[in-house]
Amino acid sequence: MSHKILIANRGEIALRVIRACKELGLHTVAVYSQADVDCLHVRFADEAVCIGPPAPAESYLNIPRIISAAEITNADAMHPGYGFLAENAKFAEICETSGITFIGPTPEMISKMGDKIYAKSTMKKAGVPVIPGSEGGVKSEGEAEELARSTGFPVIIKAAAGGGGRGMRIVREPSQISKAFSAAKTEAQAGFGDSTVYIERYFESPHHVEVQLLGNGKGKVIALGERDCSIQRKHQKLIEESPSPAVTPEIRKNMMAAAIAGAEAVNYRSAGTVEFLLDEKKQFYFMEMNTRIQVEHPVTEMVFNVDLIKEQIRVAFGDDFKHTHANIEPVGHAIECRINAEDPFEGFRPMPGEITSFHTPGGLGVRVDTHAYANYKIPPFYDSLLAKLIVHGYDRREALERMKRALEEFVIEGVPTTIPFHKQVMKDDRFVRGEFNTHFLDHFTMEADSD
Ligand code: MV4
């Protein structure tokens, strides 16, 4: 392969993609904003182009500037990372029409799966269990009332163009439905430019379990196990692990088969994730599909020993992936803690600033994906993710002990981080027993720091 890849992103994921490219012998082009001159992705890449002011709209979200950077440097492929333009169908399409290979699914796939109603009905047709509720968009207050009654309370109203927890409304009583319906529509219109909403039965304390998929765009999809992403706060994941402590071998078999059937039905290409809710009765239901590489992909990489970014690049150029179900097998257990520049003692308030000292943990089974270094100034314009600490062990217990040990070794001074939070979760009885769901953090309070 002789290609030049432009990485339309920053931070740890830009470094992650550059590393994969180097191992494949591909040339790399970084783009950066005026706030990111001192960022490592600028130095790691073979070439770097400044694309504008700090504001994302003028740099990492600015399609014409990014396409110009690709044209100036003769890049023939684009990796979007996650966030920013990763699920922007228009961007993927402009890349393709400009002769730049988009390393991801087709533009049609991105826009189809971006419509959560389309995604649900497509999965249902492929035989995947979906959350009970409306078959499509809900048109009127009256229809909302009727559907909520037939589905059974509580219900949740979601924006068709939403996802990731934005623009959702939980309704517990019939008297609240009409008000919630109009509020959700207004919010959906304002947030996504599309007021279409749908209704589902609301599950009170589910696990959030997602299946990692790789499709070759030639009808073949493989599943690389699941990740449990139940430890989240305001729809921001903080801890992910694989395998899920809530998933039995039988559930896993059925969940993988369902995810593969759904993705093969749409001839999925690239890395993707099917999100399921796993309820108290251990029934799983399709929720949405993500058409990007995700922040938490390393836990899957550690368990399967597969480089997901390299696979994504291979299939984008029409090669087949290196792995099949016949030559991959999960080994052990992996956990990821997201280290954010946020103060867990102050409601996880983002705290940009200068890192005065920085020391990463090491040793067997420890991986740190980070763009931070001593004296790095965290700009206030982007998300607060500083590092991902991923550990692998032969079982969950060893992974947990390894995570505690690695968190002890991790030194970040100058800005508060989520490290003290993770230390406390790792010794929480319910977390240790694997007995947690999406509401774990609702009841979790930080103890005063003893360090
Ligand atoms: C749900 C749900 C329960 N029932 N849908 C949150 C993120 C987005 N992917 C969808 N999400 C949820 N959808 C039904 N039918 C629970 C969540 C959910 C959640 C909801 C409220 C507060 C925190 C949450 C954390 C994870 C998932």
Side-chain angles (χ1 to χ4, degrees):
M1 272 199 274
S2 172
H3 294 284
K4 195 188 264 196
I5 321 274
L6 187 143
I7 298 100
N9 216 301
R10 66 183 300 283
E12 68 85 21
I13 193 63
L15 297 187
R16 172 71 191 84
V17 174
I18 293 168
R19 286 179 172 131
C21 290
K22 284 188 175 170
E23 291 182 19
L24 289 171
L26 308 177
H27 286 89
T28 54
V29 180
V31 292
Y32 62 101
S33 75
Q34 286 161 6
D36 279 346
V37 175
D38 296 322
C39 274
L40 285 185
H41 70 285
V42 175
R43 293 197 226 173
F44 271 45
D46 299 313
E47 294 169 63
V49 182
C50 184
I51 51 169
E58 298 194 63
S59 49
Y60 301 105
L61 285 174
N62 191 297
I63 297 174
R65 289 182 185 184
I66 291 168
I67 298 291
S68 299
E71 285 174 346
I72 289 164
T73 55
N74 278 316
D76 63 347
M78 184 77 73
H79 198 299
Y82 52 68
F84 294 125
L85 297 168
E87 284 167 292
N88 186 314
K90 213 174 88 195
F91 179 59
E93 193 179 329
I94 293 169
C95 287
E96 299 287 338
T97 55
S98 308
I100 301 163
T101 301
F102 182 77
I103 301 171
T106 60
E108 298 73 47
M109 189 66 52
I110 298 173
S111 81
K112 282 177 170 175
M113 291 302 165
D115 176 350
K116 305 304 166 189
I117 294 174
Y118 175 91
K120 261 185 95 170
S121 69
T122 303
M123 292 299 148
K124 193 173 176 180
K125 273 185 217 140
V128 180
V130 302
I131 303 177
S134 60
E135 291 276 329
V138 184
K139 283 168 194 69
S140 64
E141 287 185 19
E143 196 189 342
E145 264 173 43
E146 218 173 277
L147 273 162
R149 237 181 282 276
S150 59
T151 304
F153 285 91
V155 295
I156 185 166
I157 308 175
K158 297 180 174 180
R166 295 173 308 153
M168 309 190 317
R169 269 210 158 52
I170 299 161
V171 186
R172 298 185 182 281
E173 296 169 38
S175 66
Q176 302 169 328
I177 190 84
S178 62
K179 215 177 140 196
F181 172 76
S182 28
K185 268 191 107 59
T186 306
E187 224 174 272
Q189 181 62 45
F192 315 107
D194 177 352
S195 68
T196 313
V197 297
Y198 62 107
I199 289 183
E200 289 181 340
R201 182 189 304 154
Y202 179 68
F203 292 100
E204 294 284 357
S205 345
H207 271 254
H208 175 133
V209 178
E210 57 187 33
V211 175
Q212 178 66 57
L213 299 173
L214 272 175
N216 64 2
K218 301 169 191 172
K220 183 73 196 157
V221 174
I222 63 169
L224 296 96
E226 80 282 359
R227 297 184 287 257
D228 195 309
C229 305
S230 299
I231 309 288
Q232 19 182 304
R233 190 184 167 276
K234 297 190 175 171
H235 305 297
Q236 285 285 108
K237 296 166 186 165
L238 282 160
I239 302 171
E240 305 95 349
E241 61 181 293
S242 183
S244 165
V247 171
T248 63
E250 196 199 338
I251 299 170
R252 182 169 301 112
K253 195 175 120 241
N254 296 331
M255 197 183 267
M256 297 306 127
I260 290 169
E264 285 190 344
V266 296
N267 190 19
Y268 193 78
R269 180 188 77 199
S270 195
T273 309
V274 172
E275 287 185 8
F276 292 103
L277 278 187
L278 181 63
D279 74 359
E280 296 86 337
K281 293 176 192 149
K282 298 264 177 186
Q283 296 292 313
F284 65 85
Y285 303 93
F286 171 84
M287 196 159 50
E288 43 190 86
M289 180 161 189
N290 300 315
T291 56
R292 61 173 187 279
I293 193 78
Q294 290 189 276
V295 177
E296 60 271 23
H297 76 274
V299 298
T300 300
E301 294 187 325
M302 299 297 271
V303 167
F304 280 86
N305 196 26
V306 167
D307 186 325
L308 291 170
I309 309 279
K310 279 195 204 169
E311 294 298 279
Q312 223 187 354
I313 294 169
R314 283 193 184 99
V315 298
F317 291 123
D319 298 340
D320 215 339
F321 27 67
K322 199 171 147 188
H323 301 281
T324 65
H325 284 130
N327 66 13
I328 54 165
E329 205 182 334
V331 176
H333 199 99
I335 307 176
E336 171 177 276
C337 287
R338 296 195 192 185
I339 315 297
N340 298 332
E342 295 172 0
D343 190 344
F345 298 99
E346 296 290 340
F348 292 82
R349 187 151 63 103
M351 299 286 274
E354 181 167 355
I355 295 171
T356 52
S357 94
F358 192 75
H359 178 267
T360 55
L364 181 63
V366 177
R367 166 175 173 184
V368 181
D369 279 19
T370 183
H371 59 295
Y373 55 88
N375 303 317
Y376 173 63
K377 287 189 195 67
I378 306 159
F381 311 103
Y382 315 108
D383 83 20
S384 56
L385 184 72
L386 261 193
K388 302 188 304 204
L389 172 56
I390 309 106
V391 299
H392 182 254
Y394 67 82
D395 61 8
R396 189 169 189 270
R397 184 194 291 256
E398 188 184 54
L400 246 154
E401 291 307 320
R402 190 159 277 157
M403 182 60 84
K404 286 190 205 169
R405 187 269 289 171
L407 286 163
E408 287 296 330
E409 285 179 27
F410 216 145
V411 178
I412 303 178
E413 286 171 346
V415 293
T417 73
T418 48
I419 290 173
F421 161 81
H422 290 299
K423 285 178 177 170
Q424 291 187 20
V425 174
M426 291 304 133
K427 54 183 193 189
D428 178 277
D429 283 342
R430 287 190 313 137
F431 183 77
V432 169
R433 288 199 298 268
E435 293 165 6
F436 54 81
N437 58 49
T438 46
H439 294 294
F440 179 79
L441 293 183
D442 301 356
H443 317 287
F444 187 84
T445 42
M446 291 287 294
E447 291 165 35
D449 208 352
S450 51
D451 292 0

